[in-house]
Amino acid sequence: MRAARLIKMVLLLQSRPSMTAAELARELEVSERTVTRDAQALSEAGVPVYADRGRAGGYRLIGGYRTRLTGLARGEAEALFLSGVPGALREMGLEDAASAARLKVSAALLPSLRDASRTAAQRFHLDAPAWFREPETPRLLPAVAEAVWDDRRVTARYRRGEREVERVLEPYGLVLKAGVWYLCARVAEDGAYRTYRIDRFCAVAAGEDRFVRDEDFDLPGFWAEHSERFARSLLRTEVVLRLSPEGVRTLRWAVDTLSAREALAAAGEPDGEGWVTMTLPVESEEVAHTQLRALGPEAEVLAPAALRARFAGDAARLARLYGGAGEAASALP
């Protein structure tokens, strides 16, 4: 533990002109007294750590000293490629590996390039979770992530409806979608690739044996295909609509993007007033009622009749609420 901290301290000092004891204590997550002891230990071991006294003082390496301990371990190199997703790294338990990798890269760079990580962080940040929801890290995510990186089979127990199911899985990859973590895995029993929400896992136990990864497996391609297939499976009902030009423009923000794209592509020509008639795939009449209300008077439901009746009822209620809007407005001070 201390040896790793001493190496990190040398790399920090190598990547910057100087650092105060407070800065080093914050980076190393120790006290300033520990920083002083560690600096003394490095000096006794032959590392030329020099302490500048005074208010503006700090620690620095002298004589152009450079450590050779900058080679990346495999885990650090893999974590480095994910360093633009700090939240995901933290949740998978890879934050320390990514920090070490960044330090090693920084230490190996020319002095003029050592602020690259800071300038990049100032210009790009990925915030994966969706708006208006508090993301929760699945309790078993670190265990699953470790099995993914190590190509180890796992015995997983997960919730399916009201019951629990146990499977032996070969964990191929992790996907973070709108704040929700998914595992793409091959089922050992039948060799099929499936997707699991990690927050539905009840238990995960990694075995000692590793599986042989199919090198042709393409995680982004598999996920894209799975996502489209899943989205299509939800669209089990159709609604016939008339949309105004404004309704056509805003449809993709009110309903599923895939559904809107396909409906617009198959729509007929606009009528004399610019309105377009189309058939829109939806999850259910209930969901369609909720989604299409966002379009207001820019959409008219033609079928099914029950859904049209619901919108007619909504329109009648709005007419009653706003029927005296002129008189109410004139009564305001």
Side-chain angles (χ1 to χ4, degrees):
M1 184 70 177
R2 190 190 185 198
R5 190 175 71 240
L6 292 174
I7 292 172
K8 186 173 182 179
M9 184 174 180
V10 173
L11 291 172
L12 283 167
L13 293 174
Q14 185 172 313
S15 64
R16 306 180 195 181
S18 68
M19 296 182 69
T20 66
E23 291 172 335
L24 283 167
R26 186 168 56 252
E27 290 282 353
L28 299 172
E29 299 180 351
V30 296
S31 67
E32 292 186 31
R33 180 172 294 182
T34 298
V35 168
T36 301
R37 288 198 298 265
D38 286 352
Q40 183 177 352
L42 287 171
S43 181
E44 292 173 353
V47 178
V49 178
Y50 181 79
D52 291 314
R53 305 298 178 184
R55 295 184 59 185
Y59 293 93
R60 60 186 175 89
L61 295 174
I62 61 175
Y65 179 85
R66 296 183 64 80
T67 177
R68 296 180 180 273
L69 300 174
T70 53
L72 293 179
R74 170 173 286 276
E76 294 168 346
E78 291 170 337
L80 184 61
F81 285 103
L82 295 171
S83 59
V85 198
L89 281 168
R90 184 171 55 253
E91 293 176 6
M92 288 190 291
L94 296 174
E95 190 174 27
D96 288 344
S99 176
R102 286 193 296 269
L103 274 174
K104 289 182 177 182
V105 170
S106 180
L109 291 174
L110 294 172
S112 60
L113 299 177
R114 286 178 186 163
D115 65 343
S117 61
R118 179 182 60 81
T119 57
Q122 289 174 337
R123 290 163 172 79
F124 176 77
H125 174 69
L126 176 64
D127 185 9
W131 287 104
F132 311 119
R133 61 174 295 167
E134 188 67 28
E136 295 184 5
T137 302
R139 177 177 57 87
L140 295 172
L141 175 60
V144 175
E146 185 176 353
V148 168
W149 290 115
D150 210 20
D151 291 343
R152 290 191 182 276
R153 286 190 180 89
V154 298
T155 301
R157 195 156 37 85
Y158 64 96
R159 295 187 303 277
R160 177 187 286 176
E162 298 298 320
R163 62 194 183 97
E164 292 185 4
V165 178
E166 186 172 285
R167 291 283 185 274
V168 177
L169 303 175
E170 297 176 352
Y172 265 65
L174 293 167
V175 175
L176 177 60
K177 169 72 170 179
V180 180
W181 284 95
Y182 296 87
L183 171 68
C184 301
R186 185 166 60 187
V187 182
E189 183 180 4
D190 58 14
Y193 291 95
R194 295 192 175 91
T195 302
Y196 303 86
R197 277 185 60 145
I198 294 181
D199 58 7
R200 292 179 183 166
F201 282 137
C202 307
V204 172
E208 292 299 322
D209 59 323
R210 290 182 170 87
F211 63 90
V212 178
R213 179 177 289 267
D214 181 357
E215 296 301 327
D216 292 331
F217 178 80
D218 174 26
L219 180 60
F222 172 80
W223 178 256
E225 182 181 340
H226 165 79
S227 300
E228 183 169 338
R229 189 167 61 248
F230 176 73
R232 289 182 186 279
S233 72
L234 296 177
L235 305 175
R236 296 183 290 266
T237 304
E238 291 184 341
V239 173
V240 181
L241 288 175
R242 287 183 71 238
L243 291 178
S244 70
E246 178 64 14
V248 169
R249 188 183 70 82
T250 57
L251 178 65
R252 61 193 177 102
W253 287 295
V255 302
D256 175 77
T257 303
L258 174 66
S259 174
R261 185 172 65 242
E262 293 187 352
L264 289 169
E269 294 296 321
D271 61 18
E273 298 178 343
W275 285 60
V276 174
T277 299
M278 67 181 63
T279 300
L280 179 73
V282 295
E283 184 174 345
S284 66
E285 289 188 22
E286 186 67 35
V287 171
H289 180 242
T290 301
Q291 293 176 331
L292 295 175
R293 279 189 301 188
L295 298 177
E298 308 304 328
E300 178 189 2
V301 174
L302 302 179
L307 183 58
R308 180 178 175 86
R310 292 184 69 170
F311 275 100
D314 292 343
R317 290 175 59 199
L318 287 170
R320 287 195 298 271
L321 287 172
Y322 294 99
E327 295 82 347
S330 61
L332 293 174

